[in-house]
Amino acid sequence: MRETRTLVRPNILALNPYSTARDEYGGGSGVFLDANESPFDTGFNRYPDPHQRELKAKLSAIKGLPEGNIFIGNGSDEAIDLCFRVFCEPGRDNALILSPSYGMYGVCAAVNDVQVRELRLRGDFSLPSRDEILSLCDNRTKLLFLCSPNNPTGNAFDQDALMDIVSSFDGITVIDEAYADFSGKGSLRWKVLGTDNLIVLQTLSKAWGLAGLRLGLAFASEFIVGLFSEVKYPYNISGAAQKAVSEALERPIDGYVRDILAERGRLEAELLRHPSVERVYPSDANFLLVRTRDADALYSHLIADGIIVRNRSRLPLCGGCLRITVGLPEENDRLLKSITDYEKGHIH
Ligand SMILES: *Cc1c(COP(=O)(O)O)cnc(C)c1O
C-alpha cells in the first residue's frame, strides 16, 4: 500500500497556505485593526472563524471523534471537490465510481479534468466484488467513491464488505454517508482513526434539516483534514451559517428521524397498492426508489399537479424509476392522491 503522503499532489504538499493575523493572536476580545473590516457593528462586520472552532467542538461531541479528524465544508460538495484537488493530478490521475450513484462525483471529476472509471452495481444494487473493483484500478487511480446508503438506489452496503475494499484499494476510499442517520447499518466514521486512506463524508443537509445553510463534514486522518483545511477558501463557512448551525446542533434530531422512518414505511405500503407502481426498493434513506410502469408519463402528470419528484429512469439499472423523497404526511398524501388520479386516466 502506498503511503497517503505519496498520493497527494506535489504542489499541495508544498503549499504555503494563507494565514490570518488572528491566528497569531489567538486571544478573544481585542482591538482588531488587522483585516480591513468595518468597525461598525452590523452583526456581521467581522470575518468568521476560519477554523470553525465552536462548531467543531460541538460536532466532536455529537460525532464522537476528535476535532482534528473533522473537516467542515460548504456542503459535502466542497469536500468532494477537495478530494480531487488534493489528490488528483489533472489530465493524469483517475477516479473510480460505481453507478448508479450520486452525480457530483462525476461532475467534480470533470471540472478537475480527472478521468472517471465507472463500474455498475449488480442488478440487485449490491456491491460488485472487491476483485472486480480492483481490476479497474491502476497506479493512477487515486480515489474510489462508495456511497452508502447509496443515492439513488437507497440501499446501504454491508460494513465489512466496505472495509474489505478500503483495506485492499491502494488509494483513498471516500465513503459518502449523507443518509447514514436513516440507516440501521449505522456509520463507519470511527474507522478513520485507524485507517489512513479513508475519508467518510456526512452532511447536515438531510437528517439535520439544514440544507439551506450548506454544511458538509469530512472525517479523516489529521493529515488529510490538515490538507483540506489548507486548500479550502479561508472563510468557507459564513458567520451566519456558523451561528445558525451552532444553535441548531443543540436541538436533537431523533424525533424527526423517527417520524421520517415511520412515514417511509407508510408511503412504501401505500405505493405498493397502486397499479402504476411495479416495485418499491428497500430503503436505508429518507427517499424511496420506485419502479413504475411508465416513469415519464407519471412524472409529467405529477409535475403538472405541482408535485416534484426525481425522474431517475435514464440511469443504469433504474429503468422506470422515480426517486421520491419522504415528505410530511400531508405531502405524501397529496402525492398518493395524485397517483390515484393519474391511474384513472392511464390504467384500465
Ligand atoms: C444530498 C447528498 C449530499 C449532500 O450534499 P451537501 O452538499 O452536503 O448538501 C452528499 N452526498 C449524497 C450522496 C447526497 O445525496
PDB file of all heavy atoms in Angstrom, residues 73-78 80 101-105 147-151 176-179 201-206 210-211 214-217 287 323, ligand 1:
ATOM      1  N   GLY A  73     -17.064  21.604   5.506  1.00  0.00           N
ATOM      2  CA  GLY A  73     -17.081  22.192   4.167  1.00  0.00           C
ATOM      3  C   GLY A  73     -18.383  22.909   3.872  1.00  0.00           C
ATOM      4  O   GLY A  73     -19.387  22.719   4.571  1.00  0.00           O
ATOM      5  N   ASN A  74     -18.355  23.722   2.820  1.00  0.00           N
ATOM      6  CA  ASN A  74     -19.543  24.421   2.337  1.00  0.00           C
ATOM      7  C   ASN A  74     -20.396  23.403   1.574  1.00  0.00           C
ATOM      8  O   ASN A  74     -20.422  23.360   0.350  1.00  0.00           O
ATOM      9  CB  ASN A  74     -19.082  25.575   1.441  1.00  0.00           C
ATOM     10  CG  ASN A  74     -20.208  26.528   1.112  1.00  0.00           C
ATOM     11  OD1 ASN A  74     -21.357  26.122   0.981  1.00  0.00           O
ATOM     12  ND2 ASN A  74     -19.885  27.779   0.964  1.00  0.00           N
ATOM     13  N   GLY A  75     -21.078  22.534   2.338  1.00  0.00           N
ATOM     14  CA  GLY A  75     -21.752  21.368   1.766  1.00  0.00           C
ATOM     15  C   GLY A  75     -20.752  20.242   1.560  1.00  0.00           C
ATOM     16  O   GLY A  75     -19.541  20.476   1.519  1.00  0.00           O
ATOM     17  N   SER A  76     -21.263  19.019   1.461  1.00  0.00           N
ATOM     18  CA  SER A  76     -20.379  17.884   1.134  1.00  0.00           C
ATOM     19  C   SER A  76     -19.717  18.116  -0.205  1.00  0.00           C
ATOM     20  O   SER A  76     -18.644  17.594  -0.481  1.00  0.00           O
ATOM     21  CB  SER A  76     -21.156  16.578   1.000  1.00  0.00           C
ATOM     22  OG  SER A  76     -22.004  16.395   2.065  1.00  0.00           O
ATOM     23  N   ASP A  77     -20.413  18.896  -1.050  1.00  0.00           N
ATOM     24  CA  ASP A  77     -19.869  19.126  -2.386  1.00  0.00           C
ATOM     25  C   ASP A  77     -18.483  19.760  -2.312  1.00  0.00           C
ATOM     26  O   ASP A  77     -17.615  19.443  -3.127  1.00  0.00           O
ATOM     27  CB  ASP A  77     -20.828  20.008  -3.195  1.00  0.00           C
ATOM     28  CG  ASP A  77     -22.152  19.298  -3.463  1.00  0.00           C
ATOM     29  OD1 ASP A  77     -22.193  18.050  -3.347  1.00  0.00           O
ATOM     30  OD2 ASP A  77     -23.144  19.977  -3.798  1.00  0.00           O
ATOM     31  N   GLU A  78     -18.234  20.634  -1.335  1.00  0.00           N
ATOM     32  CA  GLU A  78     -16.884  21.202  -1.206  1.00  0.00           C
ATOM     33  C   GLU A  78     -15.876  20.105  -0.858  1.00  0.00           C
ATOM     34  O   GLU A  78     -14.772  20.071  -1.396  1.00  0.00           O
ATOM     35  CB  GLU A  78     -16.821  22.317  -0.136  1.00  0.00           C
ATOM     36  CG  GLU A  78     -15.418  22.917  -0.065  1.00  0.00           C
ATOM     37  CD  GLU A  78     -15.199  23.989   0.994  1.00  0.00           C
ATOM     38  OE1 GLU A  78     -16.057  24.151   1.888  1.00  0.00           O
ATOM     39  OE2 GLU A  78     -14.151  24.655   0.923  1.00  0.00           O
ATOM     40  N   ILE A  80     -16.111  16.913  -1.548  1.00  0.00           N
ATOM     41  CA  ILE A  80     -15.908  16.055  -2.722  1.00  0.00           C
ATOM     42  C   ILE A  80     -14.917  16.723  -3.674  1.00  0.00           C
ATOM     43  O   ILE A  80     -13.965  16.106  -4.160  1.00  0.00           O
ATOM     44  CB  ILE A  80     -17.262  15.789  -3.427  1.00  0.00           C
ATOM     45  CG1 ILE A  80     -18.168  14.938  -2.524  1.00  0.00           C
ATOM     46  CG2 ILE A  80     -17.054  15.102  -4.776  1.00  0.00           C
ATOM     47  CD1 ILE A  80     -19.626  14.871  -2.975  1.00  0.00           C
ATOM     48  N   SER A 101     -24.976   6.211  -9.019  1.00  0.00           N
ATOM     49  CA  SER A 101     -24.708   6.813  -7.714  1.00  0.00           C
ATOM     50  C   SER A 101     -24.850   8.328  -7.834  1.00  0.00           C
ATOM     51  O   SER A 101     -25.382   8.829  -8.827  1.00  0.00           O
ATOM     52  CB  SER A 101     -23.328   6.403  -7.196  1.00  0.00           C
ATOM     53  OG  SER A 101     -23.213   6.705  -5.817  1.00  0.00           O
ATOM     54  N   TYR A 102     -24.379   9.027  -6.827  1.00  0.00           N
ATOM     55  CA  TYR A 102     -24.544  10.484  -6.741  1.00  0.00           C
ATOM     56  C   TYR A 102     -23.788  11.175  -7.880  1.00  0.00           C
ATOM     57  O   TYR A 102     -22.619  10.885  -8.134  1.00  0.00           O
ATOM     58  CB  TYR A 102     -24.009  10.924  -5.385  1.00  0.00           C
ATOM     59  CG  TYR A 102     -24.202  12.375  -5.015  1.00  0.00           C
ATOM     60  CD1 TYR A 102     -25.416  13.017  -5.189  1.00  0.00           C
ATOM     61  CD2 TYR A 102     -23.146  13.083  -4.446  1.00  0.00           C
ATOM     62  CE1 TYR A 102     -25.580  14.340  -4.815  1.00  0.00           C
ATOM     63  CE2 TYR A 102     -23.301  14.401  -4.047  1.00  0.00           C
ATOM     64  CZ  TYR A 102     -24.520  15.025  -4.243  1.00  0.00           C
ATOM     65  OH  TYR A 102     -24.675  16.331  -3.852  1.00  0.00           O
ATOM     66  N   GLY A 103     -24.452  12.104  -8.545  1.00  0.00           N
ATOM     67  CA  GLY A 103     -23.892  12.714  -9.747  1.00  0.00           C
ATOM     68  C   GLY A 103     -22.694  13.617  -9.534  1.00  0.00           C
ATOM     69  O   GLY A 103     -21.896  13.821 -10.443  1.00  0.00           O
ATOM     70  N   MET A 104     -22.536  14.163  -8.317  1.00  0.00           N
ATOM     71  CA  MET A 104     -21.479  15.161  -8.116  1.00  0.00           C
ATOM     72  C   MET A 104     -20.069  14.577  -8.220  1.00  0.00           C
ATOM     73  O   MET A 104     -19.127  15.313  -8.497  1.00  0.00           O
ATOM     74  CB  MET A 104     -21.642  15.863  -6.764  1.00  0.00           C
ATOM     75  CG  MET A 104     -22.647  17.002  -6.755  1.00  0.00           C
ATOM     76  SD  MET A 104     -22.343  18.252  -8.018  1.00  0.00           S
ATOM     77  CE  MET A 104     -20.902  19.097  -7.363  1.00  0.00           C
ATOM     78  N   TYR A 105     -19.920  13.252  -7.987  1.00  0.00           N
ATOM     79  CA  TYR A 105     -18.555  12.694  -8.094  1.00  0.00           C
ATOM     80  C   TYR A 105     -18.036  12.880  -9.518  1.00  0.00           C
ATOM     81  O   TYR A 105     -16.903  13.321  -9.737  1.00  0.00           O
ATOM     82  CB  TYR A 105     -18.528  11.200  -7.729  1.00  0.00           C
ATOM     83  CG  TYR A 105     -19.267  10.839  -6.459  1.00  0.00           C
ATOM     84  CD1 TYR A 105     -20.064   9.698  -6.399  1.00  0.00           C
ATOM     85  CD2 TYR A 105     -19.169  11.632  -5.325  1.00  0.00           C
ATOM     86  CE1 TYR A 105     -20.751   9.349  -5.249  1.00  0.00           C
ATOM     87  CE2 TYR A 105     -19.857  11.296  -4.174  1.00  0.00           C
ATOM     88  CZ  TYR A 105     -20.647  10.156  -4.145  1.00  0.00           C
ATOM     89  OH  TYR A 105     -21.336   9.830  -3.015  1.00  0.00           O
ATOM     90  N   CYS A 147     -20.922   5.194  -2.009  1.00  0.00           N
ATOM     91  CA  CYS A 147     -21.982   5.953  -1.356  1.00  0.00           C
ATOM     92  C   CYS A 147     -22.896   4.971  -0.637  1.00  0.00           C
ATOM     93  O   CYS A 147     -23.498   4.099  -1.268  1.00  0.00           O
ATOM     94  CB  CYS A 147     -22.757   6.730  -2.432  1.00  0.00           C
ATOM     95  SG  CYS A 147     -24.021   7.835  -1.789  1.00  0.00           S
ATOM     96  N   SER A 148     -22.982   5.089   0.696  1.00  0.00           N
ATOM     97  CA  SER A 148     -23.752   4.116   1.465  1.00  0.00           C
ATOM     98  C   SER A 148     -24.418   4.785   2.679  1.00  0.00           C
ATOM     99  O   SER A 148     -23.713   5.296   3.534  1.00  0.00           O
ATOM    100  CB  SER A 148     -22.819   2.991   1.944  1.00  0.00           C
ATOM    101  OG  SER A 148     -23.532   2.033   2.689  1.00  0.00           O
ATOM    102  N   PRO A 149     -25.740   4.811   2.738  1.00  0.00           N
ATOM    103  CA  PRO A 149     -26.728   4.348   1.760  1.00  0.00           C
ATOM    104  C   PRO A 149     -26.544   5.065   0.430  1.00  0.00           C
ATOM    105  O   PRO A 149     -26.212   6.250   0.400  1.00  0.00           O
ATOM    106  CB  PRO A 149     -28.065   4.720   2.400  1.00  0.00           C
ATOM    107  CG  PRO A 149     -27.788   4.820   3.867  1.00  0.00           C
ATOM    108  CD  PRO A 149     -26.388   5.315   3.975  1.00  0.00           C
ATOM    109  N   ASN A 150     -26.772   4.305  -0.653  1.00  0.00           N
ATOM    110  CA  ASN A 150     -26.489   4.854  -1.976  1.00  0.00           C
ATOM    111  C   ASN A 150     -27.657   5.692  -2.501  1.00  0.00           C
ATOM    112  O   ASN A 150     -28.814   5.329  -2.352  1.00  0.00           O
ATOM    113  CB  ASN A 150     -26.204   3.699  -2.943  1.00  0.00           C
ATOM    114  CG  ASN A 150     -25.720   4.174  -4.307  1.00  0.00           C
ATOM    115  OD1 ASN A 150     -24.896   5.090  -4.384  1.00  0.00           O
ATOM    116  ND2 ASN A 150     -26.222   3.577  -5.367  1.00  0.00           N
ATOM    117  N   ASN A 151     -27.315   6.813  -3.095  1.00  0.00           N
ATOM    118  CA  ASN A 151     -28.270   7.648  -3.827  1.00  0.00           C
ATOM    119  C   ASN A 151     -28.065   7.335  -5.313  1.00  0.00           C
ATOM    120  O   ASN A 151     -26.934   7.442  -5.781  1.00  0.00           O
ATOM    121  CB  ASN A 151     -27.946   9.120  -3.532  1.00  0.00           C
ATOM    122  CG  ASN A 151     -28.854  10.083  -4.256  1.00  0.00           C
ATOM    123  OD1 ASN A 151     -29.750   9.691  -4.988  1.00  0.00           O
ATOM    124  ND2 ASN A 151     -28.591  11.369  -4.070  1.00  0.00           N
ATOM    125  N   ASP A 176     -19.402   7.994   1.242  1.00  0.00           N
ATOM    126  CA  ASP A 176     -20.355   9.094   1.407  1.00  0.00           C
ATOM    127  C   ASP A 176     -21.553   8.590   2.207  1.00  0.00           C
ATOM    128  O   ASP A 176     -22.337   7.782   1.729  1.00  0.00           O
ATOM    129  CB  ASP A 176     -20.780   9.599   0.021  1.00  0.00           C
ATOM    130  CG  ASP A 176     -21.638  10.864   0.085  1.00  0.00           C
ATOM    131  OD1 ASP A 176     -22.229  11.144   1.157  1.00  0.00           O
ATOM    132  OD2 ASP A 176     -21.726  11.565  -0.935  1.00  0.00           O
ATOM    133  N   GLU A 177     -21.665   9.096   3.436  1.00  0.00           N
ATOM    134  CA  GLU A 177     -22.734   8.666   4.347  1.00  0.00           C
ATOM    135  C   GLU A 177     -23.794   9.750   4.535  1.00  0.00           C
ATOM    136  O   GLU A 177     -24.308   9.937   5.639  1.00  0.00           O
ATOM    137  CB  GLU A 177     -22.138   8.307   5.715  1.00  0.00           C
ATOM    138  CG  GLU A 177     -21.231   7.104   5.717  1.00  0.00           C
ATOM    139  CD  GLU A 177     -20.822   6.683   7.137  1.00  0.00           C
ATOM    140  OE1 GLU A 177     -20.987   7.500   8.081  1.00  0.00           O
ATOM    141  OE2 GLU A 177     -20.328   5.562   7.301  1.00  0.00           O
ATOM    142  N   ALA A 178     -24.153  10.440   3.450  1.00  0.00           N
ATOM    143  CA  ALA A 178     -25.127  11.530   3.562  1.00  0.00           C
ATOM    144  C   ALA A 178     -26.420  11.070   4.249  1.00  0.00           C
ATOM    145  O   ALA A 178     -27.081  11.852   4.937  1.00  0.00           O
ATOM    146  CB  ALA A 178     -25.442  12.099   2.177  1.00  0.00           C
ATOM    147  N   TYR A 179     -26.773   9.791   4.074  1.00  0.00           N
ATOM    148  CA  TYR A 179     -28.055   9.290   4.586  1.00  0.00           C
ATOM    149  C   TYR A 179     -27.891   8.341   5.772  1.00  0.00           C
ATOM    150  O   TYR A 179     -28.833   7.659   6.143  1.00  0.00           O
ATOM    151  CB  TYR A 179     -28.821   8.591   3.449  1.00  0.00           C
ATOM    152  CG  TYR A 179     -29.091   9.522   2.299  1.00  0.00           C
ATOM    153  CD1 TYR A 179     -28.257   9.543   1.181  1.00  0.00           C
ATOM    154  CD2 TYR A 179     -30.144  10.429   2.351  1.00  0.00           C
ATOM    155  CE1 TYR A 179     -28.480  10.424   0.133  1.00  0.00           C
ATOM    156  CE2 TYR A 179     -30.375  11.313   1.313  1.00  0.00           C
ATOM    157  CZ  TYR A 179     -29.547  11.310   0.212  1.00  0.00           C
ATOM    158  OH  TYR A 179     -29.773  12.189  -0.809  1.00  0.00           O
ATOM    159  N   LEU A 201     -17.713  10.968   4.430  1.00  0.00           N
ATOM    160  CA  LEU A 201     -18.459  12.221   4.276  1.00  0.00           C
ATOM    161  C   LEU A 201     -19.822  12.107   4.932  1.00  0.00           C
ATOM    162  O   LEU A 201     -20.492  11.080   4.818  1.00  0.00           O
ATOM    163  CB  LEU A 201     -18.673  12.539   2.793  1.00  0.00           C
ATOM    164  CG  LEU A 201     -17.452  12.629   1.896  1.00  0.00           C
ATOM    165  CD1 LEU A 201     -17.882  12.962   0.463  1.00  0.00           C
ATOM    166  CD2 LEU A 201     -16.478  13.684   2.410  1.00  0.00           C
ATOM    167  N   GLN A 202     -20.220  13.164   5.616  1.00  0.00           N
ATOM    168  CA  GLN A 202     -21.598  13.290   6.078  1.00  0.00           C
ATOM    169  C   GLN A 202     -22.061  14.710   5.769  1.00  0.00           C
ATOM    170  O   GLN A 202     -21.280  15.532   5.289  1.00  0.00           O
ATOM    171  CB  GLN A 202     -21.733  12.973   7.570  1.00  0.00           C
ATOM    172  CG  GLN A 202     -21.489  11.491   7.870  1.00  0.00           C
ATOM    173  CD  GLN A 202     -21.863  11.117   9.294  1.00  0.00           C
ATOM    174  OE1 GLN A 202     -22.255  11.953  10.104  1.00  0.00           O
ATOM    175  NE2 GLN A 202     -21.723   9.828   9.607  1.00  0.00           N
ATOM    176  N   THR A 203     -23.303  15.004   6.057  1.00  0.00           N
ATOM    177  CA  THR A 203     -23.842  16.325   5.725  1.00  0.00           C
ATOM    178  C   THR A 203     -24.895  16.702   6.749  1.00  0.00           C
ATOM    179  O   THR A 203     -25.486  15.827   7.383  1.00  0.00           O
ATOM    180  CB  THR A 203     -24.456  16.318   4.314  1.00  0.00           C
ATOM    181  OG1 THR A 203     -24.991  17.618   4.036  1.00  0.00           O
ATOM    182  CG2 THR A 203     -25.587  15.298   4.189  1.00  0.00           C
ATOM    183  N   LEU A 204     -25.103  18.004   6.908  1.00  0.00           N
ATOM    184  CA  LEU A 204     -26.212  18.440   7.749  1.00  0.00           C
ATOM    185  C   LEU A 204     -27.449  18.748   6.900  1.00  0.00           C
ATOM    186  O   LEU A 204     -28.448  19.257   7.389  1.00  0.00           O
ATOM    187  CB  LEU A 204     -25.813  19.672   8.574  1.00  0.00           C
ATOM    188  CG  LEU A 204     -24.607  19.497   9.504  1.00  0.00           C
ATOM    189  CD1 LEU A 204     -24.484  20.715  10.436  1.00  0.00           C
ATOM    190  CD2 LEU A 204     -24.690  18.236  10.344  1.00  0.00           C
ATOM    191  N   SER A 205     -27.367  18.418   5.600  1.00  0.00           N
ATOM    192  CA  SER A 205     -28.442  18.768   4.665  1.00  0.00           C
ATOM    193  C   SER A 205     -29.646  17.835   4.726  1.00  0.00           C
ATOM    194  O   SER A 205     -30.697  18.177   4.212  1.00  0.00           O
ATOM    195  CB  SER A 205     -27.924  18.762   3.218  1.00  0.00           C
ATOM    196  OG  SER A 205     -26.943  19.737   3.025  1.00  0.00           O
ATOM    197  N   LYS A 206     -29.505  16.645   5.289  1.00  0.00           N
ATOM    198  CA  LYS A 206     -30.588  15.676   5.195  1.00  0.00           C
ATOM    199  C   LYS A 206     -31.247  15.492   6.565  1.00  0.00           C
ATOM    200  O   LYS A 206     -32.168  16.215   6.895  1.00  0.00           O
ATOM    201  CB  LYS A 206     -30.048  14.357   4.609  1.00  0.00           C
ATOM    202  CG  LYS A 206     -29.296  14.540   3.291  1.00  0.00           C
ATOM    203  CD  LYS A 206     -30.212  14.816   2.105  1.00  0.00           C
ATOM    204  CE  LYS A 206     -29.535  15.505   0.930  1.00  0.00           C
ATOM    205  NZ  LYS A 206     -28.490  14.780   0.241  1.00  0.00           N
ATOM    206  N   LEU A 210     -30.793  21.041   7.474  1.00  0.00           N
ATOM    207  CA  LEU A 210     -30.128  22.342   7.341  1.00  0.00           C
ATOM    208  C   LEU A 210     -29.545  22.562   5.949  1.00  0.00           C
ATOM    209  O   LEU A 210     -28.528  23.236   5.795  1.00  0.00           O
ATOM    210  CB  LEU A 210     -29.018  22.460   8.407  1.00  0.00           C
ATOM    211  CG  LEU A 210     -29.468  22.312   9.863  1.00  0.00           C
ATOM    212  CD1 LEU A 210     -28.249  22.263  10.798  1.00  0.00           C
ATOM    213  CD2 LEU A 210     -30.387  23.464  10.269  1.00  0.00           C
ATOM    214  N   ALA A 211     -30.223  22.019   4.930  1.00  0.00           N
ATOM    215  CA  ALA A 211     -29.673  22.104   3.564  1.00  0.00           C
ATOM    216  C   ALA A 211     -29.393  23.553   3.158  1.00  0.00           C
ATOM    217  O   ALA A 211     -28.424  23.825   2.448  1.00  0.00           O
ATOM    218  CB  ALA A 211     -30.632  21.450   2.566  1.00  0.00           C
ATOM    219  N   ARG A 214     -25.814  24.988   4.056  1.00  0.00           N
ATOM    220  CA  ARG A 214     -24.653  24.432   3.351  1.00  0.00           C
ATOM    221  C   ARG A 214     -23.552  24.008   4.316  1.00  0.00           C
ATOM    222  O   ARG A 214     -22.577  24.723   4.529  1.00  0.00           O
ATOM    223  CB  ARG A 214     -24.082  25.448   2.333  1.00  0.00           C
ATOM    224  CG  ARG A 214     -25.075  26.075   1.403  1.00  0.00           C
ATOM    225  CD  ARG A 214     -25.855  25.029   0.611  1.00  0.00           C
ATOM    226  NE  ARG A 214     -25.010  24.101  -0.095  1.00  0.00           N
ATOM    227  CZ  ARG A 214     -25.109  22.760   0.033  1.00  0.00           C
ATOM    228  NH1 ARG A 214     -26.017  22.204   0.814  1.00  0.00           N
ATOM    229  NH2 ARG A 214     -24.301  21.976  -0.628  1.00  0.00           N
ATOM    230  N   LEU A 215     -23.692  22.875   4.929  1.00  0.00           N
ATOM    231  CA  LEU A 215     -22.642  22.378   5.807  1.00  0.00           C
ATOM    232  C   LEU A 215     -22.420  20.888   5.610  1.00  0.00           C
ATOM    233  O   LEU A 215     -23.296  20.083   5.888  1.00  0.00           O
ATOM    234  CB  LEU A 215     -22.981  22.662   7.271  1.00  0.00           C
ATOM    235  CG  LEU A 215     -21.730  23.086   8.030  1.00  0.00           C
ATOM    236  CD1 LEU A 215     -21.775  24.545   8.382  1.00  0.00           C
ATOM    237  CD2 LEU A 215     -21.573  22.251   9.262  1.00  0.00           C
ATOM    238  N   GLY A 216     -21.252  20.552   5.106  1.00  0.00           N
ATOM    239  CA  GLY A 216     -20.861  19.161   4.898  1.00  0.00           C
ATOM    240  C   GLY A 216     -19.685  18.816   5.785  1.00  0.00           C
ATOM    241  O   GLY A 216     -18.893  19.692   6.138  1.00  0.00           O
ATOM    242  N   LEU A 217     -19.557  17.560   6.140  1.00  0.00           N
ATOM    243  CA  LEU A 217     -18.478  17.126   7.026  1.00  0.00           C
ATOM    244  C   LEU A 217     -17.634  16.072   6.338  1.00  0.00           C
ATOM    245  O   LEU A 217     -18.166  15.211   5.628  1.00  0.00           O
ATOM    246  CB  LEU A 217     -19.057  16.512   8.301  1.00  0.00           C
ATOM    247  CG  LEU A 217     -20.101  17.348   9.039  1.00  0.00           C
ATOM    248  CD1 LEU A 217     -20.686  16.545  10.200  1.00  0.00           C
ATOM    249  CD2 LEU A 217     -19.480  18.640   9.533  1.00  0.00           C
ATOM    250  N   PHE A 287     -35.643   8.510   1.265  1.00  0.00           N
ATOM    251  CA  PHE A 287     -36.334   8.523  -0.023  1.00  0.00           C
ATOM    252  C   PHE A 287     -36.596   7.084  -0.434  1.00  0.00           C
ATOM    253  O   PHE A 287     -36.023   6.147   0.127  1.00  0.00           O
ATOM    254  CB  PHE A 287     -35.490   9.249  -1.086  1.00  0.00           C
ATOM    255  CG  PHE A 287     -34.128   8.639  -1.310  1.00  0.00           C
ATOM    256  CD1 PHE A 287     -33.964   7.549  -2.167  1.00  0.00           C
ATOM    257  CD2 PHE A 287     -33.015   9.138  -0.666  1.00  0.00           C
ATOM    258  CE1 PHE A 287     -32.702   6.986  -2.376  1.00  0.00           C
ATOM    259  CE2 PHE A 287     -31.752   8.585  -0.860  1.00  0.00           C
ATOM    260  CZ  PHE A 287     -31.605   7.507  -1.723  1.00  0.00           C
ATOM    261  N   ARG A 323     -37.430   8.668  -8.074  1.00  0.00           N
ATOM    262  CA  ARG A 323     -36.929   8.747  -6.699  1.00  0.00           C
ATOM    263  C   ARG A 323     -37.784   9.753  -5.947  1.00  0.00           C
ATOM    264  O   ARG A 323     -37.901  10.910  -6.358  1.00  0.00           O
ATOM    265  CB  ARG A 323     -35.463   9.186  -6.682  1.00  0.00           C
ATOM    266  CG  ARG A 323     -34.788   8.990  -5.319  1.00  0.00           C
ATOM    267  CD  ARG A 323     -33.494   9.754  -5.224  1.00  0.00           C
ATOM    268  NE  ARG A 323     -33.743  11.183  -5.206  1.00  0.00           N
ATOM    269  CZ  ARG A 323     -32.815  12.116  -5.414  1.00  0.00           C
ATOM    270  NH1 ARG A 323     -31.573  11.781  -5.690  1.00  0.00           N
ATOM    271  NH2 ARG A 323     -33.135  13.397  -5.373  1.00  0.00           N
TER     272      ARG A 323
HETATM  273  C1  LIG B   1     -27.640  15.086  -0.605  1.00  0.00           C
HETATM  274  C2  LIG B   1     -26.332  14.407  -0.756  1.00  0.00           C
HETATM  275  C3  LIG B   1     -25.167  15.005  -0.282  1.00  0.00           C
HETATM  276  C4  LIG B   1     -25.230  16.332   0.420  1.00  0.00           C
HETATM  277  O1  LIG B   1     -24.623  17.332  -0.237  1.00  0.00           O
HETATM  278  P1  LIG B   1     -24.489  18.745   0.503  1.00  0.00           P
HETATM  279  O2  LIG B   1     -23.577  19.467  -0.422  1.00  0.00           O
HETATM  280  O3  LIG B   1     -23.860  18.495   1.843  1.00  0.00           O
HETATM  281  O4  LIG B   1     -25.847  19.329   0.631  1.00  0.00           O
HETATM  282  C5  LIG B   1     -23.975  14.323  -0.380  1.00  0.00           C
HETATM  283  N1  LIG B   1     -23.920  13.105  -0.925  1.00  0.00           N
HETATM  284  C6  LIG B   1     -25.022  12.499  -1.383  1.00  0.00           C
HETATM  285  C7  LIG B   1     -24.921  11.132  -1.926  1.00  0.00           C
HETATM  286  C8  LIG B   1     -26.258  13.131  -1.319  1.00  0.00           C
HETATM  287  O5  LIG B   1     -27.346  12.523  -1.805  1.00  0.00           O
END
